[in-house]
Amino acid sequence: MPRTAYDWISFTTDYGLDDGFVAACRGVIAQRATLVRVLDVSHAIPPQHVRHGSAVLAQTVPYLPEAVHLAVVDPGVGTSRLGVVVVTDRGLLVGPDNGLLLPAAEALGGVRAAYQLTEPRYRLRQVSATFHGRDIFAPAAAHLALGADPADFGEPVSDLVRLPEPQVLARPGQLVAEVLTIDRFGNVQLAATASDLDLAELSGFLVVRCGAHELVVSRGRTFADLPPGEGVLFTDSADQLAVAVNGGSAAASLGLYSAGSASQVCTVTASPTAS
């Protein structure tokens, strides 16, 4: 495989910015690839929420320059899960083989090859059991950006981990969909699309229920299609159905502020008071 240098490394984690984890990884990159620029996608992925991280990464990478995409949402750090570099036609992805990387690889044209990250010369001399982002993934990303051949990092991987498909069930009168992401505005992105809503034959005033909470919404194109404080079900910028409140937070209304590692499911039905 021909060697390729990249000017950019994108960086996605659940590390947050309260601690020095992001800075330590960026420092490792800077010491090895001085001229390579780091583009932060997000460090606010909910802790250990691999599904959320995979959705954010996959929805973002098509709009980034060709890059080494470094992503770390890694509840299995220090276990037998593999660290990998995934090769696509439009860039490389580096991180844990836990389902985080594969949707992004498919968004970049599909997996051409994948390799384990086991070669000692491409990691730090001392590797912590709990900080592979700093000790394995960041140095690997830096070396790849400088042109190291992915095949030199370790044995090929033929069967990358794939997350289970998110729950979506559309039938007349009801749409059940797993929550993919919740953004900082409180907009709730569902795994369903407008086609699923059409299959459920739902229109007009609708009720979105998540657990014990519910929100009456109307189908719209954008937030301001409804008066302030009212809910709207719309197709977002990633072509997913999303729930929003004009000037407010759908997540708060639906009791979804706690975005932990467990999947959350919402049901959309016709409002019994619809006119």
Side-chain angles (χ1 to χ4, degrees):
M1 181 179 300
R3 294 174 182 243
T4 305
Y6 294 88
D7 294 328
W8 293 91
I9 293 173
S10 83
F11 195 17
T12 306
T13 75
D14 61 351
Y15 289 159
L17 296 175
D18 293 337
D19 304 292
F21 304 134
V22 170
C25 294
R26 289 177 64 106
V28 167
I29 292 169
Q31 290 182 52
R32 288 157 180 77
T34 306
L35 299 180
V36 173
R37 292 169 287 182
V38 177
L39 194 161
D40 294 291
V41 174
S42 176
H43 301 296
I45 304 301
Q48 296 93 46
H49 205 308
V50 177
R51 170 86 73 196
H52 186 129
S54 71
V56 168
L57 188 64
Q59 291 168 21
T60 304
V61 291
Y63 303 95
L64 303 183
E66 287 197 14
V68 179
H69 302 288
L70 169 61
V72 189
V73 181
D74 193 16
V77 61
T79 68
S80 60
R81 70 96 186 92
L82 299 178
V84 293
V85 50
V86 180
V87 182
T88 78
D89 287 330
R90 296 176 52 202
L92 308 174
L93 297 114
V94 173
D97 181 28
N98 60 4
L100 177 66
L101 304 180
L102 194 52
E106 291 169 345
L108 293 173
V111 177
R112 286 180 51 201
Y115 302 93
Q116 297 184 37
L117 299 178
T118 54
E119 172 55 49
R121 62 192 163 123
Y122 294 133
R123 53 173 61 184
L124 297 194
R125 188 167 300 173
Q126 292 185 325
V127 175
S128 163
T130 58
F131 200 178
H132 288 186
R134 178 195 65 192
D135 301 341
I136 297 177
F137 302 137
H143 285 290
L144 288 162
L146 291 175
D149 189 334
D152 290 342
F153 281 72
E155 293 296 315
V157 179
S158 59
D159 190 16
L160 293 167
V161 172
R162 181 181 294 274
L163 293 172
E165 289 296 317
Q167 181 179 350
V168 178
L169 173 63
R171 55 192 176 194
Q174 185 184 64
L175 174 62
V176 179
E178 189 171 333
V179 173
L180 282 184
T181 68
I182 300 170
D183 68 21
R184 70 183 303 271
F185 300 102
N187 301 322
V188 179
Q189 183 187 66
L190 304 177
T193 66
S195 296
D196 295 312
L197 193 65
D198 292 339
L199 285 173
E201 302 173 2
L202 291 168
S203 60
F205 289 98
L206 307 172
V207 176
V208 180
R209 293 184 179 86
C210 303
H213 297 79
E214 65 179 44
L215 175 67
V216 176
V217 302
S218 295
R219 197 167 179 178
R221 184 182 63 87
T222 189
F223 316 110
D225 284 349
L226 278 297
E230 294 196 16
V232 59
L233 185 67
F234 67 105
T235 298
D236 70 7
S237 60
D239 290 328
Q240 300 293 138
L241 278 182
V243 188
V245 171
N246 184 14
S249 168
S253 298
L254 293 169
L256 295 175
Y257 260 143
S258 178
S261 58
S263 64
Q264 301 173 100
V265 176
C266 296
T267 302
V268 184
T269 57
S271 170
T273 59
S275 57

